[in-house]
Amino acid sequence: MKIKLLPIYLTIAVMAILQSCSKDDDNDGVKQSAVTLSIVNPDDLSSVTYADLSVSFKELNTGKVTQNSSFTGNNLSITLPEGSYEVSIDGKIKYSADGSAAEASVSGYKESVVITGSNASVSLNVFLKTTQSDFVIEEVFFTGTRTAEGKQYLGDKYFRIYNNTDKVLYADGLIIAQSEFMTTDKQDYTPNIMAQAFAAAAVAVVPGTGTTYPIAPGEYFIIAEDAINHKEYNPNSMDMRTAKFEFYTEDTDDVDNPAVPNMENLFSSMVIHNRGFRSFVIARMPSTVTKTAYLTDYTYDYEYNLVFGGESYPMGESVYKIPNTWIIDAVNLSVESEFQWIVTAPVLDMGWTYCGKVDSDATRYGKSVRRKTLSTASNGKKILKDTNNSTLDFTPEAKPSLMN
């Protein structure tokens, strides 16, 4: 059979149609939006100019990340497929405050930004990044371990707190708190105080008189759930007798090591969520606020409507809040299959980290989240990465340092 050749002009037309179809197929028929991103300056600043701005758009359904740095002043124009996005931004700022010129780094974050229609507008608040002058959370071991028989073992969780500065710091009075809200359950809490304070389900304080527990630059200390040799009961666990402090609750079956000072439970007892659904902060209470005054003046009463089975049930709770200005470091934890939101202000942490990809992931046991090292000095002192974005700052599913 002979093949009949198409005239050259018809061949070109067919190729053009095929290329057009191919282009449509590449976009999978997704409509495009012309997006205008506008930066909202930090409060109380004037004469603001930006430099080295870079924005990242992550589409939540596909995971595709689009980056751009073509800003004109406070605005950027970009074309994106319709979808739901996480938007983050980093850069530098020059400004005036109280009559003085200054420079700083800035960052911003916004979750669940729905982009639809031929044109879309997005506003994004940016925040000043403060210079690190206190401790950081170096590691959280929240998953626990399993016994040789495969049973869940309790009591061997811990926090590792690091002096990331060039001066001696005192652990005395340091607050560690677990979030009231879960990163896997977003509700419309009223009043919403997240921009001003952290809602805490448990608050514990390091004991001491102010200069009892010095921590040298580049050194760390461990706060253990139970400061005992867990290997005696579970060979897959760790010896935590060298911990600096431990959590302890009286009138329970909690184990107490009398050789290790107990954390003071200021509000509730620290029961560390072993799937990583809650977040943690460390903070310092101002010298003008006593513990008694805190328990009197910093309560947080909130309400929300729990929707279940098509019915709405009014709910409420009374807990405590920690002002964001007291907080020196934060880490949001979650799990990919269940993540809904971060439960800190983005100025504290605009990302999250994890152990386990799904809820109740059996592979999470014996893993921790560990902060990355930014650099190491000639004397061996590490500088840990701290961009206020746990997604970037932490290694997820890491080997716990106490297992090394």
Side-chain angles (χ1 to χ4, degrees):
M1 182 177 66
K2 293 183 179 180
I3 298 175
K4 187 175 180 180
L5 298 177
L6 293 172
I8 185 65
Y9 66 85
L10 185 55
T11 302
I12 294 173
V14 171
M15 290 177 65
I17 293 171
L18 291 174
Q19 288 176 348
S20 176
C21 291
S22 176
K23 184 176 180 180
D24 288 342
D25 290 343
D26 288 342
N27 290 328
D28 295 324
V30 177
K31 295 181 180 179
Q32 304 291 302
S33 290
V35 180
T36 300
L37 174 69
S38 301
I39 298 175
V40 179
N41 296 335
D43 293 337
D44 302 322
L45 303 185
S46 59
S47 304
V48 171
T49 59
Y50 292 99
D52 301 328
L53 288 175
S54 178
V55 64
S56 174
F57 297 86
K58 180 180 180 181
E59 210 290 311
L60 299 177
N61 297 304
T62 64
K64 182 180 178 181
V65 176
T66 303
Q67 294 180 315
N68 198 299
S69 57
S70 302
F71 279 85
T72 301
N74 283 37
N75 300 310
L76 175 143
S77 297
I78 187 173
T79 300
L80 294 170
E82 291 186 340
S84 182
Y85 288 82
E86 285 179 353
V87 185
S88 59
I89 189 170
D90 284 284
K92 297 179 180 178
I93 185 175
K94 293 183 179 180
Y95 62 94
S96 293
D98 299 325
S100 300
E103 297 184 18
S105 296
V106 291
S107 61
Y109 173 85
K110 202 168 192 177
E111 60 184 350
S112 301
V113 177
V114 178
I115 293 176
T116 185
S118 57
N119 294 280
S121 298
V122 178
S123 63
L124 183 64
N125 292 79
V126 295
F127 304 91
L128 298 179
K129 289 184 178 180
T130 57
T131 303
Q132 178 59 42
S133 60
D134 216 311
F135 293 106
V136 296
I137 301 170
E138 181 179 5
E139 180 183 10
V140 186
F141 178 62
F142 61 89
T143 60
T145 54
R146 274 187 162 178
T147 65
E149 296 76 27
K151 296 181 179 180
Q152 181 175 282
Y153 180 79
L154 303 176
D156 56 0
K157 306 179 188 73
Y158 67 85
F159 296 90
R160 179 167 166 145
I161 311 298
Y162 185 78
N163 182 350
N164 209 31
T165 75
D166 58 0
K167 62 184 179 181
V168 173
L169 297 175
Y170 293 92
D172 307 51
L174 188 72
I175 291 172
I176 187 163
Q178 181 171 246
S179 66
E180 166 70 2
F181 305 139
M182 295 194 294
T183 58
T184 58
D185 182 26
K186 186 175 184 180
Q187 299 289 346
D188 185 14
Y189 299 111
T190 303
N192 185 343
I193 62 168
M194 204 170 292
Q196 294 80 39
F198 176 80
V203 181
V205 182
V206 173
T209 60
T211 56
T212 308
Y213 301 107
I215 308 295
E219 297 297 322
Y220 68 89
F221 65 93
I222 299 292
I223 306 175
E225 193 171 34
D226 291 318
I228 62 174
N229 184 5
H230 294 277
K231 294 179 72 68
E232 293 182 359
Y233 308 96
N234 176 18
N236 297 326
S237 190
M238 296 157 280
D239 187 349
M240 294 189 185
R241 289 174 294 177
T242 58
K244 197 80 170 177
F245 309 100
E246 70 173 348
F247 298 109
Y248 177 69
T249 303
E250 296 181 356
D251 302 324
T252 68
D253 57 358
D254 197 3
V255 178
D256 184 27
N257 181 348
V260 177
N262 294 329
M263 296 284 288
E264 179 182 349
N265 295 322
L266 192 59
F267 168 62
S268 190
S269 299
M270 187 70 69
V271 180
I272 303 169
H273 196 288
N274 79 348
R275 287 179 288 166
F277 285 4
R278 298 186 187 271
S279 302
F280 297 93
V281 301
I282 54 175
R284 287 197 184 275
M285 199 179 298
S287 58
T288 54
V289 179
T290 65
K291 295 172 184 175
T292 301
Y294 175 78
L295 294 174
T296 302
D297 300 335
Y298 291 87
T299 57
Y300 170 44
D301 302 324
Y302 68 89
E303 298 176 348
Y304 68 101
N305 291 319
L306 176 64
V307 179
F308 181 77
E311 298 291 332
S312 181
Y313 302 92
M315 307 290 287
E317 189 63 76
S318 180
V319 293
Y320 281 85
K321 61 185 177 184
I322 300 174
N324 290 344
T325 53
W326 298 6
I327 295 172
I328 58 178
D329 196 28
V331 55
N332 280 280
L333 301 175
S334 197
V335 61
E336 186 174 4
S337 66
E338 307 297 319
F339 173 75
Q340 294 187 24
W341 66 333
I342 59 173
V343 293
T344 63
V347 68
L348 302 175
D349 185 14
M350 65 183 70
W352 57 277
T353 188
Y354 65 91
C355 286
K357 302 292 194 303
V358 297
D359 188 11
S360 301
D361 194 333
T363 67
R364 76 187 188 279
Y365 292 105
K367 297 177 182 177
S368 71
V369 296
R370 296 179 64 175
R371 192 178 289 272
K372 299 174 183 177
T373 298
L374 183 64
S375 63
T376 303
S378 58
N379 61 1
K381 178 182 179 296
K382 298 184 300 182
I383 300 297
L384 301 184
K385 188 174 183 179
D386 185 18
T387 67
N388 293 345
N389 186 334
S390 290
T391 304
L392 303 177
D393 293 344
F394 281 82
T395 299
E397 300 187 316
K399 183 177 181 180
S401 59
L402 296 189
M403 284 187 176
N404 291 339

